[in-house]
Amino acid sequence: LPTRSAKATAAREKKRSRNQHRRKMSSSLVRAASAAARRSVAPVRIASRQQRAGALQRRSGSDMPTARSNEARLWEGHPTEPEGWEGTIYLTYGFSAVILVTMCTFRPDTTIKTWANNEAQARIDLLRSGKIDKVEFGVHYNTPEKLGMEEEWDAFAFKSSKPGEDDDDDEDEDEEEEEEEEEEEGA
């Protein structure tokens, strides 16, 4: 049985002989073409532009009939006057473009460089105010707790959501009913 290396060697030899055969064929074709060119050397004539253009037209097949689809108007059969829905679509596209540009213009800066700058400023402010003596590695100081804003945040959170109470609309309706009852009792 032939080994793998013997098979690989045989495949390489076969490929090499195929490539040599191709080179011989291509070189013989080149020799034949150059000999034919030498035999048929004719006086070179410079053609005018019109003659060359005419030759190009004849070669490109300009005598051929043109297709009817090449002569047709684009969107043939569809109305060309504006329809009612087009204005709405154009306005929607315009407003969408304005909204997207505005959002991209005023998006928050969330780069690492900005975060590091804010963190460094918070550390400097805390050191100057005396709230910390030494900056500790791995601790974030630009938080509401570290900046002393925790009480303000808790007050805001309490004001913004009152747990256990329903919407204000229900309270207004209850107050109106109570006032009507008081008026009826008073009358």
Side-chain angles (χ1 to χ4, degrees), residues 6-20:
K7 286 181 182 177
T9 306
R12 273 189 247 119
E13 287 299 323
K14 187 175 180 181
K15 189 175 182 181
R16 190 175 301 131
S17 67
R18 202 176 321 133
N19 287 339
Q20 286 174 352

Side-chain angles (χ1 to χ4, degrees), residues 4-182:
R4 285 187 180 174
S5 62
K7 286 181 182 177
T9 306
R12 273 189 247 119
E13 287 299 323
K14 187 175 180 181
K15 189 175 182 181
R16 190 175 301 131
S17 67
R18 202 176 321 133
N19 287 339
Q20 286 174 352
H21 179 68
R22 285 183 188 156
R23 277 191 224 116
K24 286 179 187 176
M25 292 297 290
S26 64
S27 65
S28 64
L29 288 174
V30 169
R31 274 187 257 122
S34 62
R38 274 184 256 125
R39 279 178 284 185
S40 65
V41 173
V44 178
R45 192 183 92 200
I46 299 175
S48 67
R49 280 189 175 174
Q50 292 174 351
Q51 289 173 339
R52 280 185 276 159
L56 286 176
Q57 285 179 354
R58 278 193 294 275
R59 277 187 257 146
S60 67
S62 65
D63 300 351
M64 301 294 292
T66 58
R68 300 268 308 166
S69 61
N70 290 344
E71 297 172 0
R73 268 189 32 223
L74 191 60
W75 312 116
E76 184 77 32
H78 293 281
T80 55
E81 64 274 349
E83 297 179 14
W85 56 268
E86 291 174 347
T88 306
I89 292 294
Y90 296 148
L91 283 174
T92 304
Y93 288 163
F95 285 132
S96 299
V98 168
I99 289 171
L100 285 172
V101 167
T102 305
M103 286 174 53
C104 289
T105 303
F106 295 110
R107 70 176 185 256
D109 187 10
T110 57
T111 61
I112 188 71
K113 193 172 186 178
T114 304
W115 174 84
N117 189 21
N118 292 338
E119 183 69 24
Q121 188 62 46
R123 290 177 182 193
I124 290 170
D125 292 343
L126 288 172
L127 284 171
R128 285 185 183 159
S129 67
K131 292 184 179 178
I132 59 171
D133 296 328
K134 186 173 124 180
V135 176
E136 190 176 330
F137 179 75
V139 177
H140 299 292
Y141 293 96
N142 193 15
T143 60
E145 296 86 24
K146 297 286 184 177
L147 294 175
M149 298 173 65
E150 191 171 5
E151 296 83 25
E152 291 179 32
W153 177 254
D154 288 341
F156 171 76
F158 183 73
K159 286 179 185 176
S160 63
S161 65
K162 296 179 182 177
E165 290 189 16
D166 290 335
D167 293 339
D168 292 335
D169 296 338
D170 295 338
E171 293 176 12
D172 293 339
E173 291 174 4
D174 293 339
E175 290 175 6
E176 289 175 5
E177 290 175 6
E178 289 175 7
E179 289 176 6
E180 289 176 6
E181 289 176 6
E182 290 175 5

